[in-house]
Amino acid sequence: MPEFRTEPLIVPTVSGLLPEGERDRRVALTSFRSDESRVQVPMRDVVCYECGLTCQVPSAALSANCIHCHAHLNMADVEIRPGSRRLTIRTLGNVHVPGGTVLSNLSVVCRDMAVDGRVSGSFRCTGTLSLNASMVLDGSVSAGKLVVDKGAEVELSVGAAAEEVELYGRLKGRLQCKGTLHVYRGGAYEGVCKAADVVVEPGGYFDDQSRF
């Protein structure tokens, strides 16, 4: 009786008696790419919104885990629509609140945020926070850049901190600006302000009550 032998998973040589397709398959099994030929996945640096440390994630990823605290990181853009029950948002992407939206008790951590509706709550943006409607913000606000658009009237119940501030509309409340507070024509600020530099264009209004 002939001896039965199983086919090895990896063969060091390829017999010329095998069909061409099978030869190619076995060669592929025994072939390995060198480090130089591996595809490099584009990466980007992100700051974890839980521990505040920087880590690298694939540029096209919609979610990942922080390599430091292992928190789940959402990187998708979010649009808060009227009637939404999602009041707590944590993302490394952008957040948009469309016009006609009226929501309170929002808690948002994101990159850029554009508010065209009337909302209240606390917001922490690593990028730009654009307030394009009149509202009273009853929570803490922090942003890389805070922008109050033309025609908007914003009141800060707690206060805001930003690297830069641009006022085309009206802002009232306590403000801390590490960089330049720029009041453009038609813009106005009233409150207790601590800024490294203040620029008020003709037609702008600036009332720093901390001086009195």
Side-chain angles (χ1 to χ4, degrees), residues 17-99:
L17 299 177
L18 294 173
E20 182 178 354
E22 181 65 11
R23 291 202 307 270
D24 295 340
R25 184 184 72 85
R26 295 194 184 189
V27 170
L29 287 175
T30 57
S31 300
F32 299 92
R33 291 183 176 181
S34 63
D35 292 339
E36 293 78 8
S37 63
R38 290 178 182 174
V39 177
Q40 297 296 325
V41 178
M43 306 290 286
R44 64 186 176 104
D45 292 333
V46 297
V47 178
C48 175
Y49 43 68
E50 296 296 341
C51 67
L53 298 178
T54 302
C55 56
Q56 282 195 332
V57 300
S59 299
L62 295 180
S63 64
N65 289 95
C66 175
I67 61 174
H68 304 287
C69 67
H70 307 292
H72 176 75
L73 302 178
N74 178 27
M75 290 177 281
D77 295 338
V78 177
E79 180 170 307
I80 306 176
R81 299 180 180 180
S84 175
R85 295 184 179 181
R86 185 179 180 184
L87 299 180
T88 301
I89 296 173
R90 299 287 185 271
T91 181
L92 294 172
N94 302 327
V95 173
H96 178 223
V97 182

Side-chain angles (χ1 to χ4, degrees), residues 63-143:
S63 64
N65 289 95
C66 175
I67 61 174
H68 304 287
C69 67
H70 307 292
H72 176 75
L73 302 178
N74 178 27
M75 290 177 281
D77 295 338
V78 177
E79 180 170 307
I80 306 176
R81 299 180 180 180
S84 175
R85 295 184 179 181
R86 185 179 180 184
L87 299 180
T88 301
I89 296 173
R90 299 287 185 271
T91 181
L92 294 172
N94 302 327
V95 173
H96 178 223
V97 182
T101 304
V102 180
L103 292 172
S104 59
N105 300 320
L106 279 176
S107 177
V108 178
V109 176
C110 65
R111 184 174 57 211
D112 297 336
M113 183 174 180
V115 182
D116 298 320
R118 299 172 64 91
V119 299
S120 65
S122 60
F123 309 107
R124 176 157 58 96
C125 306
T126 58
T128 301
L129 172 59
S130 300
L131 304 176
N132 307 317
S134 299
M135 65 193 77
V136 177
L137 297 179
D138 54 9
S140 61
V141 175
S142 65

